[in-house]
């Protein structure tokens, strides 16, 4: 906005809001499966958000001028990635398949490796920038602010529940493998620039949180194996935050402030 009189005001703002909620599941439940070779159950989610918010205010009048500019980017990811076998008898053999027993549970038979895996690769890239210019040759002030809020909270799990697993394979390094992995990432950038003749205030704020739960486990199940059994839960989240603020006043006061709040509160467990 611009003004050529004794008083000018410029206002500019931009807000971006994004939310992802979903599920990726791979499972065998209340079913009978016979496999001659490897049995692989895999779930993977790769959701991502790219958000850019920007605002610019210009007041170039010769009289008293005031400029306001603000931008905000808010992003949330809530996903469930899970791979599992529930309520079954699983037999991995090197030769012949196992026939049904007298129980009411379904039987899953195979001739190789049992591999259950879940992976999350959620990513948020958020940029918020604002600039406010009030003619520095005249009296007046400017206010510029930018805010980014980013939050990832996923559930990642690989499990066997209420089942019996029998692995008789003798030529495999890992006859039974349960793995759950998270590679969430947040990259957040916020910047503000304010220029005025008398008073200038610039601020940028970044609030980022990653709080994922990753599990690989056996629950209420029995397991018999001749070779190695692996339960692996891995959390490899990364968070990068950049804040920058500039405030300039020709005559008077200039204030520039940046605030960053970052937290990673993940849990990873295998049992």
């Amino acid at each position: 906005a611009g003004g050529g009189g004794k008083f000018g005001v410029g206002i500019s703002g931009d807000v971006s809001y994004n939310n992802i909620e979903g599920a990726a599941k791979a499972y065998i439940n209340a079913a009978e499966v016979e496999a001659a070779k490897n049995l692989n159950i895999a779930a993977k989610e790769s959701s991502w958000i790219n958000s850019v918010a920007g605002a610019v205010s210009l007041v170039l009048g010769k009289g008293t001028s005031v400029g306001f500019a603000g931008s905000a980017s808010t992003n949330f990811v809530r996903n469930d990635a899970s791979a599992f076998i529930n309520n079954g008898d699983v037999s991995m053999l090197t030769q012949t398949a196992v026939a049904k027993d007298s129980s009411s549970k379904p039987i899953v038979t195979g001739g190789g490796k049992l591999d259950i895996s879940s992976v999350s690769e959620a990513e948020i890239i958020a940029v918020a920038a604002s600039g406010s210019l009030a003619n520095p040759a005249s009296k007046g002030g400017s206010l510029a602010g930018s805010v980014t809020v980013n939050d990832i909270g996923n559930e990642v799990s690989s499990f066997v529940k209420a089942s019996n697993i029998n692995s008789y394979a003798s030529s495999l390094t890992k006859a039974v493998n349960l793995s759950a992995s998270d590679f969430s990432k947040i990259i957040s950038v916020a910047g503000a620039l304010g220029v005025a003749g008398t008073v200038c205030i610039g601020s940028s704020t970044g609030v980022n949180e990653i709080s994922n739960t990753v599990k690989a486990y056996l629950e209420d199940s029995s397991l018999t194996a001749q070779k190695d059994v692996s339960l692996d839960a891995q959390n490899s989240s990364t968070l990068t935050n950049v804040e920058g603020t500039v405030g300039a006043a020709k005559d008077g006061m200039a204030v520039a402030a940046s605030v960053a709040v970052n937290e990673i509160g993940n849990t990873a467990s295998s049992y």
Side-chain angles (χ1 to χ4, degrees):
K6 295 182 179 180
F7 188 80
V9 177
I11 300 174
S12 179
D14 186 21
V15 176
S16 173
Y17 176 83
N18 303 285
N19 184 45
I20 294 178
E21 295 183 9
K25 296 186 178 183
Y27 59 89
I28 295 175
N29 184 44
E32 180 180 343
V33 177
E34 294 184 357
K37 295 185 178 180
N38 296 338
L39 178 58
N40 300 315
I41 305 172
K44 181 179 181 180
E45 75 85 16
S46 302
S47 56
W48 54 270
I49 294 175
N50 290 339
S51 173
V52 178
V56 177
S57 173
L58 300 176
V59 184
L60 304 177
K62 295 182 180 179
T64 302
S65 58
V66 180
F68 301 95
S71 63
S73 176
T74 305
N75 307 286
F76 298 95
V77 175
R78 294 285 186 276
N79 287 323
D80 176 11
S82 57
F84 58 89
I85 293 177
N86 182 57
N87 192 29
D89 290 336
V90 180
S91 296
M92 310 299 295
L93 304 179
T94 56
Q95 296 180 355
T96 60
V98 169
K100 286 185 177 179
D101 59 19
S102 59
S103 70
S104 60
K105 294 181 178 180
I107 293 181
V108 180
T109 61
K113 176 182 178 182
L114 174 60
D115 195 344
I116 303 176
S117 63
S118 56
V119 178
S120 173
E121 296 179 342
E123 179 179 291
I124 296 176
I125 299 177
V127 178
S130 63
S132 177
L133 172 64
N135 191 351
S138 62
K139 294 181 179 181
S142 69
L143 173 63
S146 297
V147 177
T148 62
V149 178
N150 305 292
D151 190 349
I152 296 177
N154 290 333
E155 299 282 340
V156 187
S157 59
S158 295
F159 62 90
V160 174
K161 186 175 182 180
S163 300
N164 298 318
I165 297 179
N166 295 289
S167 174
Y168 301 106
S170 60
S171 61
L172 300 174
T173 302
K174 293 181 180 178
V176 179
N177 180 47
L178 276 68
S179 63
S181 305
D182 173 74
F183 302 98
S184 296
K185 179 189 298 184
I186 291 179
I187 300 176
S188 174
V189 180
L193 170 65
V195 179
T198 305
V199 178
C200 176
I201 300 174
S203 68
S204 62
T205 302
V207 180
N208 306 286
E209 182 178 5
I210 299 177
S211 55
N212 296 321
T213 300
V214 181
K215 294 182 179 181
Y217 64 93
L218 298 170
E219 181 176 302
D220 297 328
S221 300
S222 65
L223 172 63
T224 302
Q226 292 183 343
K227 297 296 290 184
D228 292 346
V229 175
S230 174
L231 301 177
D232 180 31
Q234 179 182 359
N235 235 319
S236 301
S237 302
T238 59
L239 196 161
T240 303
N241 185 41
V242 178
E243 305 288 328
T245 306
V246 177
K250 181 180 179 182
D251 298 308
M253 179 183 69
V255 178
S258 297
V259 178
V261 179
N262 302 299
E263 180 179 357
I264 295 180
N266 295 329
T267 60
S269 57
S270 57
Y271 54 89

